[in-house]
Amino acid sequence: MTLSMRTFVAAAVGILSAATSANAITNGVGKLPVMGYNAWNAFACNVNDTLIIQTATYMKEYGLLDVGYNHVNLDDCWAMKSRSSTGEVMSDSIRFPSMKKFTDQLHALGFYAGIYSDSGWFTCAGYPGSFMHEEQDAMTFQSWGFDFLKYDNCAIPFDDIIREGMVGKYQRMADALAAVAKKTGTTLIFSLCEWGWSHVWLWGAQFSHSWRIDDDIAPQWNSISSIINSVSFITQATDYYGRNDLDMLEIGNGDLTYDEAKTHFTVWALVKAPLLIGTNLATISQEMLSILKNQEIIAVNQDPIYGTSISPFRWGINPDWTYDATHPAQYWSGPSENGTVFMLINTLNEPANLSFNLTESPWIRAGIQYSVRDLWTHTNNGTAVRSFTAMNVPAHGVVALLLNEDGNEPAGLVPPCAGQALSQCTAQDGTKYS
């Protein structure tokens, strides 16, 4: 483990003081993870209003809006390279000639509209950033009809100019958005994109509704597994109104296999990250579309009762709390409105059986048997007593289960205590089981 990895783990394990729903930015928007579309992964700077409206139309035609994908967000490159004589940021006169007309079209289709800016002098692609124009830009975005702001981390001013750390740099826009909301009554969802710098999971919820935890995603398994590894240590930071952002989805892009894409989507959904599609919907396969439309997985992401992420209960291949971007934590669980959710990830390059004792999860009661629902096959798979084994999980594949209490376990099971409790398994008369 490198020094930087040790530093990451040490900081992340100290998350007990992290931002929670108690100090989240509960300003009336962003309670649940945003679902929608962002154009960057598919098109980068090659965007215009016609392309984005056509993409929104595909989302309606394919039933994506119906299952919850109700945001369509611009990323970088929508602006002119210079501000107006009075300092306003201006949209590209050819590619986005009227932002108000553009957002009106998205709203008419049933979508919220998102826009992008940067906390520095320039955006990552060299367009005007919002530093020293925060409230002016926030007012512009509101007047254009936008509902969401992604805020990046490029072109940082010199220290003797900004005289702020990462927290202060992002607070500037958070304060500006709050001021605009007070003046206009419009509150934008605020998404930080600072790539996990400065332990953002400790403070992000004070200012925003989501915060990036890592570098940019890529459509390869090693990128997916690395991000899974990063989030495994900081799941406690996520709750209603504020959550870890694992970056946009790469489903439909690159060389991800079907099973890798399923794992990618399952992790993002069950840790309650934003779900932003990032592929060309004109060419998406039915196979990949079916992943994005899995309503049983989406239901966990959009849970109205539990806002918290699932968390690892055992790392599997590695000892618990091991930082390993190739073999991240394999066994995860958490509560949901409809039962206890389990996620099992095969990080190997070959099929494997994945087994666990039920009471390894803190959400399972001893002495109870559980019905098993598979959230990918959409089948009820019998009853689990004390343990469960998923057979032949594909390489880089995933199993997502929903367990519900199904009566007491059979009488007379030996040993009389399951799992970790066995080391202290004691009869009423004080006799220890051995």
Side-chain angles (χ1 to χ4, degrees):
M1 183 183 293
T2 66
L3 178 59
S4 61
M5 290 179 179
R6 288 197 298 269
T7 302
F8 180 94
V9 173
V13 173
I15 194 71
L16 293 179
S17 62
T20 67
S21 58
N23 60 1
I25 180 172
T26 53
N27 56 5
V29 298
K31 179 179 180 180
L32 297 174
V34 167
M35 295 177 59
Y37 187 90
N38 180 292
W40 184 260
N41 286 352
F43 302 109
C45 284
N46 300 312
V47 291
N48 57 52
D49 55 0
T50 302
L51 173 68
I52 302 303
I53 295 300
Q54 180 60 65
T55 298
T57 303
Y58 285 138
M59 292 177 73
K60 287 198 72 168
E61 291 178 359
Y62 297 166
L64 290 165
L65 177 61
D66 292 338
V67 299
Y69 295 94
N70 60 4
H71 281 74
V72 174
N73 299 339
L74 296 178
D75 210 281
D76 209 342
C77 308
W78 55 264
M80 299 292 284
K81 286 283 188 172
S82 299
R83 291 180 175 270
S84 73
S85 59
T86 52
E88 280 87 6
V89 66
M90 300 183 294
S91 64
D92 187 286
S93 59
I94 295 174
R95 293 185 292 117
F96 293 95
S98 172
M99 280 299 199
K100 187 63 173 66
K101 180 181 178 181
F102 172 70
T103 62
D104 284 347
Q105 288 178 285
L106 288 176
H107 292 151
L109 288 168
F111 294 97
Y112 296 103
I115 198 165
Y116 164 101
S117 189
D118 194 285
S119 57
W121 296 116
F122 303 98
T123 71
C124 298
Y127 294 82
S130 290
F131 181 65
M132 298 184 71
H133 291 272
E134 288 86 1
E135 189 167 339
Q136 185 178 32
D137 286 358
M139 186 64 78
T140 297
F141 301 151
Q142 185 277 334
S143 70
W144 284 344
F146 285 100
D147 311 288
F148 174 105
L149 173 62
K150 174 182 175 180
Y151 208 49
D152 221 331
N153 190 32
C154 286
I156 299 171
F158 292 169
D159 291 355
D160 62 357
I161 293 175
I162 192 168
R163 300 192 188 280
E164 293 280 6
M166 188 64 65
V167 174
K169 187 160 75 86
Y170 278 92
Q171 185 172 1
R172 293 171 65 99
M173 181 54 86
D175 290 346
L177 292 172
V180 169
K182 187 174 181 179
K183 292 176 182 177
T184 67
T186 300
T187 302
L188 274 66
I189 295 175
F190 190 30
S191 174
L192 307 188
C193 184
E194 54 1 85
W195 320 317
W197 287 16
S198 299
H199 310 313
V200 63
W201 48 88
L202 299 176
W203 52 268
Q206 299 174 52
F207 307 118
S208 70
H209 304 95
S210 64
W211 46 87
R212 280 276 302 280
I213 66 161
D214 215 330
D215 294 333
D216 288 355
I217 194 171
Q220 290 91 36
W221 174 250
N222 62 350
S223 174
I224 304 301
S225 65
S226 179
I227 295 171
I228 296 171
N229 176 63
S230 293
V231 79
S232 67
F233 300 98
I234 56 174
T235 57
Q236 300 96 321
T238 286
D239 208 335
Y240 289 139
Y241 297 104
R243 56 199 54 87
N244 295 317
D245 179 356
L246 281 57
D247 206 357
M248 298 164 285
L249 297 169
E250 290 281 16
I251 293 160
N253 298 335
D255 58 2
L256 292 176
T257 68
Y258 173 67
D259 286 300
E260 290 168 347
K262 279 175 56 181
T263 302
H264 172 21
F265 185 70
T266 303
V267 175
W268 268 235
L270 301 193
V271 302
K272 309 290 179 68
L275 299 177
L276 293 173
I277 299 166
T279 195
N280 184 352
L281 291 179
T283 58
I284 191 172
S285 69
Q286 286 299 313
E287 188 177 53
M288 293 299 167
L289 189 61
S290 71
I291 293 174
L292 295 170
K293 293 176 66 176
N294 185 332
Q295 293 184 65
E296 291 195 78
I297 297 293
I298 291 171
V300 180
N301 181 263
Q302 298 289 301
D303 194 318
I305 305 300
Y306 293 93
T308 51
S309 169
I310 65 169
S311 297
F313 61 84
R314 175 155 48 94
W315 260 244
I317 290 174
N318 290 308
D320 291 352
W321 302 104
T322 298
Y323 190 105
D324 186 340
T326 302
H327 299 294
Q330 295 182 276
Y331 297 87
W332 304 58
S333 71
S336 80
E337 177 187 24
N338 298 312
T340 302
V341 176
F342 284 81
M343 179 175 71
L344 318 177
I345 304 171
N346 178 15
T347 63
L348 297 174
N349 297 326
E350 58 189 20
N353 299 336
L354 299 175
S355 300
F356 63 93
N357 293 322
L358 300 189
T359 54
E360 288 185 84
S361 165
W363 314 112
I364 293 293
R365 295 173 58 198
I368 304 295
Q369 61 185 9
Y370 283 79
S371 64
V372 179
R373 171 78 176 175
D374 190 308
L375 301 182
W376 277 107
T377 63
H378 309 296
T379 55
N380 297 320
N381 293 356
T383 302
V385 178
R386 293 203 172 180
S387 65
F388 181 87
T389 299
M391 304 296 292
N392 295 313
V393 180
H396 304 164
V398 72
V399 175
L401 307 171
L402 189 67
L403 270 61
N404 277 286
E405 295 182 14
D406 194 24
N408 293 337
E409 65 183 22
L413 292 181
V414 176
C417 301
Q420 198 171 26
L422 184 59
S423 66
Q424 291 293 322
C425 191
T426 306
Q428 190 171 358
D429 64 4
T431 304
K432 282 194 172 184
Y433 179 86
S434 60

